[in-house]
Amino acid sequence: KQEVTQIPAALSVPEGENLVLNCSFTDSAIYNLQWFRQDPGKGLTSLLLIQSSQREQTSGRLNASLDKSSGRSTLYIAASQPGDSATYLCAVFTNAGGTSYGKLTFGQGTILTVHP
Amino acid sequence: DGGITQSPKYLFRKEGQNVTLSCEQNLNHDAMYWYRQDPGQGLRLIYYSQIVNDFQKGDIAEGYSVSREKKESFPLTVTSAQKNPTAFYLCASSDRTGYGYTFGSGTRLTVV
């Protein structure tokens, strides 16, 4: 059974810092890995998707890397801002029984607070 | 605009009642999913459907039921057999490869 773990569970940093969120997964047979953002009481917003054949993806101040063989991914946020405060969730998409369909398994998330 | 609509936003259920949560998407996605989120925890998969008239149990399906009669709709019924239904419920959809994963804004269910 796929298990996803995120470290740290919570992180508080001053504005302007660069920071790294970590994600690990137990089964390397993944189709892709995704990072999401969740604001309190809201749904999830997709940030980055890395296909299993890729090593990293970038979007603005966000950069996500994937090391499939070691079962690890990192989300790097450059020059953090108070508006980045949210919960960040890592999820891996696993195929179901040899088909291209599958499902996401989520980590418990990292609660990020960026203070002015 | 394409997206996923969940309703209602807040729902209150009495002990012993069944309630149905609505989820509609206009993204032409094949796959749809229901997740449950408890405070301070990640998302746990309840049910998912890859095509119309087909669905599979997720990790915590007991006490829940679903149907997929139309591509656009994937309603979730929380039955009286679910012993601890108070939670935040999220519906999502994607294409068959997991690309374009899109979430609704959620339904918060409270047992009174």
Side-chain angles (χ1 to χ4, degrees):
Chain A
K1 180 183 176 183
Q2 179 73 270
E3 293 183 359
V4 181
T5 303
Q6 291 187 244
I7 296 173
L11 185 62
S12 180
V13 300
E15 182 176 5
E17 274 203 7
N18 302 324
L19 53 97
V20 174
L21 309 182
N22 296 292
C23 172
S24 62
F25 47 94
T26 55
D27 185 351
S28 62
I30 65 170
Y31 200 79
N32 62 53
L33 182 144
Q34 303 186 40
W35 284 92
F36 293 87
R37 168 184 173 140
Q38 186 178 29
D39 294 296
K42 306 291 185 183
L44 278 66
T45 301
S46 180
L47 296 174
L48 290 165
L49 182 152
I50 310 176
Q51 298 288 0
S52 61
S53 58
Q54 296 176 321
R55 298 283 294 182
E56 67 176 341
Q57 281 287 338
T58 299
S59 176
R61 295 183 293 108
L62 305 179
N63 175 276
S65 66
L66 173 63
D67 185 341
K68 185 180 165 184
S69 61
S70 67
R72 295 181 180 183
S73 175
T74 60
L75 178 67
Y76 177 83
I77 302 178
S80 58
Q81 303 171 356
D84 294 330
S85 298
T87 298
Y88 290 81
L89 292 149
C90 167
V92 294
F93 192 83
T94 308
N95 291 98
T99 71
S100 58
Y101 288 107
K103 60 179 181 178
L104 277 178
T105 302
F106 284 83
Q108 292 190 327
T110 294
I111 301 172
L112 173 65
T113 304
V114 181
H115 47 88
Chain B
D1 288 338
I4 294 185
T5 301
Q6 286 188 244
S7 62
K9 188 174 179 64
Y10 299 96
L11 187 57
F12 298 89
R13 191 194 93 170
K14 294 183 179 179
E15 295 276 357
Q17 279 186 339
N18 293 351
V19 291
T20 297
L21 283 59
S22 172
C23 178
E24 303 276 336
Q25 56 101 356
N26 61 2
L27 299 165
N28 200 33
H29 283 161
D30 288 322
M32 297 187 73
Y33 315 82
W34 274 105
Y35 291 90
R36 169 181 173 142
Q37 187 176 34
D38 293 285
Q41 298 192 27
L43 278 68
R44 292 184 290 170
L45 184 64
I46 304 172
Y47 268 99
Y48 63 111
S49 169
Q50 299 164 345
I51 54 175
V52 173
N53 293 323
D54 183 59
F55 47 83
Q56 289 78 40
K57 292 182 179 180
D59 300 319
I60 55 166
E62 185 175 352
Y64 300 97
S65 66
V66 293
S67 63
R68 187 86 185 275
E69 298 177 1
K70 299 186 301 181
K71 186 175 184 178
E72 302 79 16
S73 179
F74 191 41
L76 173 73
T77 297
V78 184
T79 74
S80 57
Q82 171 50 238
K83 298 305 179 188
N84 185 23
T86 295
F88 189 50
Y89 290 87
L90 287 160
C91 178
S93 70
S94 75
D95 72 8
R96 62 173 61 198
T97 63
Y99 190 77
Y101 223 96
T102 303
F103 280 84
S105 56
T107 293
R108 188 167 299 280
L109 174 62
T110 304
V111 174
V112 296

